[in-house]
Amino acid sequence: MEHLAIIMDGNGRWAKARHKPRLSGHRAGAEALDRVMHYCRDAGIKYLTVYAFSTENWKRSKAEVSGLMKLLSSFIKSKEKELVANGVRFRVVGRKADLSPKLQKEIAGLEERTKGGGFTLAVALSYGGRAEIIDAANEWRRANPKDDLTEESFRAFLYAPDIPDPDLIVRTSGEVRTSNFLLWESAYSEYYFTDVLWPDFDRAEFDKALASYGKRERRMGGRLKK
């Protein structure tokens, strides 16, 4: 497997079950992400994309949104040396223009300082699969007003065209839906759904996901030769 993507769901429910504020769940989720990055590198996975904040999440309370943005800023500042030392390339995919100028600057700085990393952590932030497709279509039309659209030419205008499509998409917390995540890129991805809340996602559950993937027959719309 080359690319694992994760819909990190369940932070709020994890906090509620412990009678803690929602932001404590998001902090625990950030710790889970740190663990899973190490699991991926140990497993030889080269790309990890995580769904951190959707275009719809802006509708949440101002306190929660502000807390999430501060948490991301804190992650950037506290993890920079570790990411550089461990060869992790940090990327943000989504509508970056929605973010504050300060956060945009912090993201751009970390992306620049980690661009030589061999393992890629892509954080989907202010991201929506439909938004990505519309943004790509508009950019393609501006660049190619007279040409016919092809899958190859369209892909070049996605948020991260250099990152391969995910082999496996994991969703935690028991929900069974795609939630507007990587709609174009996931056309032939495998899915693994688990009842485990994201902050509790550990090595055992990670191994279960990879074992499940290992049993799949990926035909990409074709048939296996007998």
Side-chain angles (χ1 to χ4, degrees):
M1 184 193 307
E2 187 175 28
H3 183 183
L4 171 67
I6 302 177
I7 301 173
M8 306 182 296
D9 198 10
N11 292 346
R13 274 166 283 175
W14 183 93
K16 184 177 180 180
R18 290 160 178 76
H19 306 288
K20 295 182 178 182
R22 288 181 66 87
L23 282 176
S24 68
H26 294 311
R27 293 190 193 98
E31 294 174 3
L33 173 57
D34 197 40
R35 295 195 303 269
V36 171
M37 277 196 291
H38 289 288
Y39 301 161
C40 287
R41 295 176 66 215
D42 290 346
I45 295 169
K46 296 181 180 179
Y47 300 88
L48 171 63
T49 299
V50 294
Y51 205 4
F53 192 86
S54 74
T55 49
E56 292 78 20
N57 287 159
W58 291 108
K59 300 174 185 177
R60 295 185 178 183
S61 71
K62 290 183 179 180
E64 184 175 359
V65 170
S66 175
L68 282 167
M69 294 302 129
K70 288 179 181 177
L71 185 61
L72 177 61
S73 178
S74 176
F75 178 89
I76 289 173
K77 294 173 183 176
S78 64
K79 293 295 183 180
E80 178 181 341
K81 290 184 179 179
E82 181 181 341
L83 296 179
V84 172
N86 290 322
V88 177
R89 185 182 185 187
F90 179 80
R91 304 276 296 276
V92 166
V93 294
R95 289 180 167 174
K96 297 180 186 179
D98 292 344
L99 309 175
S100 70
K102 178 176 180 293
L103 186 53
Q104 289 183 52
K105 184 176 180 180
E106 291 173 348
I107 288 169
L110 187 57
E111 287 180 330
E112 176 63 26
R113 288 187 288 275
T114 61
K115 65 181 181 181
F119 172 84
T120 296
L121 169 64
V123 178
L125 188 63
S126 193
Y127 175 88
R130 289 181 175 179
E132 180 179 25
I133 290 170
I134 288 191
D135 289 348
N138 286 331
E139 288 296 321
W140 177 88
R141 183 176 58 185
R142 282 190 281 269
N144 305 278
K146 298 181 180 180
D147 295 338
D148 290 333
L149 180 63
T150 66
E151 287 190 21
E152 291 74 19
S153 63
F154 180 79
R155 181 181 178 84
F157 290 89
L158 295 174
Y159 293 145
D162 56 311
I163 294 180
D165 293 341
D167 301 293
L168 175 66
I169 298 178
V170 171
R171 179 167 190 150
T172 58
S173 86
E175 303 292 347
V176 184
R177 56 180 180 270
T178 62
S179 291
N180 199 20
F181 183 49
L182 300 178
L183 297 183
W184 177 275
E185 297 88 344
S186 65
Y188 289 106
S189 300
E190 300 292 331
Y191 278 84
Y192 178 82
F193 297 98
T194 174
D195 290 335
V196 173
L197 301 177
W198 173 243
D200 293 327
F201 194 84
D202 57 12
R203 171 75 75 169
E205 196 61 32
F206 176 84
D207 289 342
K208 286 182 184 178
L210 265 59
S212 174
Y213 172 80
K215 297 175 183 177
R216 314 283 178 91
E217 294 182 347
R218 302 191 72 201
R219 290 177 280 184
M220 304 297 191
R223 294 186 182 278
L224 293 177
K225 295 181 179 180
K226 295 183 179 180

